[in-house]
Amino acid sequence: MKSDQEYLLDGKDKHEVTEQESKSNRQSKLNYILLVTVIVFVAEIYVREPLTNFSDYIQENLNFPYKCEIGDYLVWFKYKGKAVIFLFLFNISNIFVSLSLIFLDSFGIFITGSIKLIYLDPRPFWRNEKLVPCTCATNYGSPSTTGLDIFLVCIVVYRGLINRSNNKWWKFMTYCFLIIPQALAWISRFIQNLHTIHQLVFGALCGYIIQYFYFEILEVDMTSSKQLKKLVNNTWLLATILITLVSWVFFNAIHYYFVEVHEKKYILNNISNYCSLDMEFYLFDNESYQKTAKVFMFIGSIVGIMFEYWFVFDGDFERYDKYNMGENRWTETDEFKTFLRMAVMFVLGRILLRLPKWGSIKRDEVFDLIISKCIVKNFFKGYFYFYVIKVIFRWCSLSNENSKAVENCCSNSLPSDEENKETLIKKNKVESN
């Protein structure tokens, strides 16, 4: 028979093998996504012209009544629909899923806004005077923010909901949610002459690369309390905020002060038919600054999470985790309160999220408008979602779970004197028996 020491060595060997397999698996994934990234960015160079010409041919012949109105309905999910989905996830899922949606949405838009300032790829109606857009668009078109953003939102919802039930209809509906909103958004942007096929495909592929790094390389598990604890309970959280802030300022400052975009005269003429060139803040790269400023919504969310953790739960992760990540939140949530929370959150969002925006496009400098209408607006939005609204819910007795669950998870973890007496009486009875 083996000695205890030999068994311990066997366990150690197995642990080392497991670690080696994990490292090997991660390295394989990293090699895969790096290869995919290289292929995507290189292939984009070669397919850009043929796919642009193909898109022009279709769009020039794609004229039918009410196409602009139909496009507006189809792209509803990207704007109003995305807000509704966030409200839904925020109130029926855990805080990690909500934060992942904000994180990928913010950084995805930040990345597309940055790449657009490098590619400077015109939109269809800029190049082709035969194409009439359904709305004004003054930032560059590749990669498509719509293609990337919709993909990331759908993939977070898919991953957050797919394992909620083994029911076949539930699985089917989740798959439909993953595919249908993306298809509708693509159709909308294409028929409205705002994007070419290659811009939409490039955006979606960038979204795939981003989510792969997030879920497979970083191995983010949106159900893991252990990962959430690492996020909210160490100095890396502050480091993440600092690195994000410095990166944003560094990139945009360099571009703002040293890079000046000039377009050809015929492009300016085409744009002027549908957009005002006097609105400097919305012209060319300046609109991309707005997209990159989305990263401040993530920073605001992190600050909101820190405030709740330290000032509402006094740094007690067990209580914080049970309230925000509890396994029974799905079944404990009161349906009426869930609907009421969504309604309150929507109404207060419409009122309060307008407050931090100030300045006038006609009289203020671009730099001032970036501060007011981009940085402060997005920061407050994240802070509102992850702290302000949760304080309001507690104040209005509209907490995330039913009253009994909230009382159990949010009360002081130490038992009261009466509870101690009852426990002592029960213990004495057991001992006497």
Side-chain angles (χ1 to χ4, degrees):
M1 293 180 65
K2 292 184 179 181
S3 65
D4 292 343
Q5 187 175 2
E6 288 175 324
Y7 277 114
L8 288 173
L9 288 173
D10 285 348
K12 185 178 180 182
D13 290 340
K14 289 179 181 178
H15 180 69
E16 289 178 352
V17 169
T18 303
E19 282 190 348
Q20 289 175 357
E21 289 178 351
S22 178
K23 289 181 180 178
S24 176
N25 187 36
R26 179 177 291 185
Q27 186 62 47
S28 298
K29 290 180 177 179
L30 185 59
N31 293 337
Y32 161 76
I33 199 60
L34 290 176
L35 179 62
V36 169
T37 302
V38 171
I39 292 174
V40 166
F41 278 82
V42 171
E44 192 276 339
I45 299 172
Y46 292 99
V47 303
R48 183 187 306 169
E49 186 175 353
L51 284 182
T52 297
N53 294 334
F54 180 62
S55 296
D56 282 357
Y57 173 77
I58 297 176
Q59 288 171 327
E60 287 176 9
N61 294 280
L62 195 64
N63 295 308
F64 55 89
Y66 305 111
K67 78 169 188 175
C68 289
E69 290 79 3
I70 292 173
D72 289 338
Y73 283 116
L74 295 181
V75 82
W76 175 86
F77 178 83
K78 183 187 176 185
Y79 300 104
K80 303 296 182 183
K82 187 167 68 174
V84 172
I85 289 300
F86 178 78
L87 293 179
F88 177 73
L89 278 181
F90 186 89
N91 285 288
I92 60 94
S93 191
N94 65 55
I95 193 173
F96 211 164
V97 175
S98 304
L99 182 63
S100 294
L101 183 63
I102 291 291
F103 175 80
L104 290 175
D105 181 50
S106 301
F107 275 88
I109 294 176
F110 168 79
I111 289 171
T112 55
S114 302
I115 296 176
K116 284 182 178 186
L117 297 179
I118 298 171
Y119 273 75
L120 303 180
D121 189 22
R123 290 179 180 267
F125 75 94
W126 292 14
R127 299 173 292 93
N128 190 341
E129 60 182 6
K130 296 179 182 179
L131 301 179
V132 178
C134 293
T135 185
C136 173
T138 58
N139 70 320
Y140 290 90
S142 187
S144 165
T145 303
T146 299
L148 178 142
D149 190 34
I150 293 296
F151 179 86
L152 291 177
V153 171
C154 289
I155 202 67
V156 171
V157 178
Y158 169 79
R159 284 177 172 267
L161 298 182
I162 189 66
N163 293 321
R164 288 289 191 184
S165 172
N166 291 322
N167 185 282
K168 291 182 179 179
W169 277 106
W170 178 268
K171 301 285 187 183
F172 174 75
M173 293 298 294
T174 308
Y175 278 112
C176 287
F177 182 86
L178 176 65
I179 297 170
I180 293 176
Q182 294 185 71
L184 296 180
W186 280 40
I187 294 170
S188 169
R189 282 308 187 238
F190 186 75
I191 67 174
Q192 291 186 328
N193 298 331
L194 296 175
H195 280 301
T196 63
I197 293 174
H198 103 273
Q199 291 172 349
L200 290 164
V201 172
F202 189 33
L205 290 174
C206 288
Y208 172 80
I209 294 168
I210 292 169
Q211 68 84 32
Y212 193 92
F213 269 101
Y214 186 72
F215 290 113
E216 302 298 334
I217 305 301
L218 298 180
E219 297 181 346
V220 172
D221 179 2
M222 296 186 293
T223 64
S224 173
S225 296
K226 185 177 180 180
Q227 289 188 9
L228 181 66
K229 185 175 183 178
K230 287 182 179 180
L231 182 67
V232 302
N233 202 26
N234 61 45
T235 54
W236 278 106
L237 192 60
L238 296 175
T240 300
I241 294 175
L242 182 62
I243 292 170
T244 302
L245 181 62
V246 171
S247 300
W248 184 87
V249 171
F250 179 76
F251 178 83
N252 284 279
I254 288 178
H255 194 277
Y256 181 79
Y257 286 108
F258 298 104
V259 180
E260 189 173 353
V261 177
H262 294 284
E263 278 299 342
K264 297 174 183 178
K265 187 175 181 180
Y266 81 94
I267 285 183
L268 293 175
N269 290 336
N270 290 342
I271 294 174
S272 64
N273 292 329
Y274 312 102
C275 309
S276 172
L277 300 183
D278 294 332
M279 293 166 34
E280 183 187 7
F281 186 57
Y282 287 132
L283 194 58
F284 299 134
D285 48 343
N286 293 331
E287 189 171 334
S288 287
Y289 293 146
Q290 297 178 77
K291 294 185 182 298
T292 60
K294 271 282 191 176
V295 75
F296 285 93
M297 187 161 68
F298 168 70
I299 295 177
S301 301
I302 291 294
V303 172
I305 286 175
M306 291 177 65
F307 269 60
E308 183 187 35
Y309 178 63
W310 289 109
F311 296 115
V312 177
F313 291 92
D314 300 321
D316 186 338
F317 184 78
E318 185 176 349
R319 291 169 56 213
Y320 176 83
D321 176 62
K322 187 174 182 180
Y323 181 69
N324 286 291
M325 295 283 290
E327 294 180 358
N328 298 321
R329 293 181 80 248
W330 179 264
T331 54
E332 287 176 350
T333 300
D334 182 271
E335 293 179 359
F336 175 74
K337 280 190 175 182
T338 299
F339 175 79
L340 197 57
R341 283 198 307 272
M342 291 177 67
V344 169
M345 194 171 177
F346 180 79
V347 171
L348 289 178
R350 300 276 291 186
I351 297 171
L352 297 179
L353 293 179
R354 295 179 179 180
L355 299 179
K357 295 183 286 186
W358 67 86
S360 170
I361 293 172
K362 294 182 179 180
R363 71 169 184 268
D364 292 333
E365 297 292 330
V366 173
F367 183 82
D368 297 329
L369 293 172
I370 289 174
I371 296 295
S372 63
K373 294 184 178 295
C374 294
I375 296 176
V376 176
K377 179 192 75 172
N378 284 302
F379 178 88
F380 180 74
K381 193 172 184 179
Y383 184 73
F384 168 81
Y385 284 145
F386 286 88
Y387 183 70
V388 175
I389 195 65
K390 299 189 81 172
V391 170
I392 292 173
F393 284 165
R394 288 168 63 84
W395 183 70
C396 296
S397 300
L398 294 173
S399 47
N400 287 356
E401 292 83 15
N402 61 42
S403 58
K404 185 178 180 181
V406 174
E407 184 180 348
N408 290 339
C409 78
C410 298
S411 60
N412 196 308
S413 57
L414 295 175
S416 62
D417 292 338
E418 292 183 0
E419 289 173 334
N420 283 330
K421 289 179 181 178
E422 290 179 2
T423 303
L424 186 61
I425 291 171
K426 290 179 180 178
K427 184 177 180 181
N428 290 333
K429 284 183 179 180
V430 171
E431 289 178 352
S432 63
N433 291 333

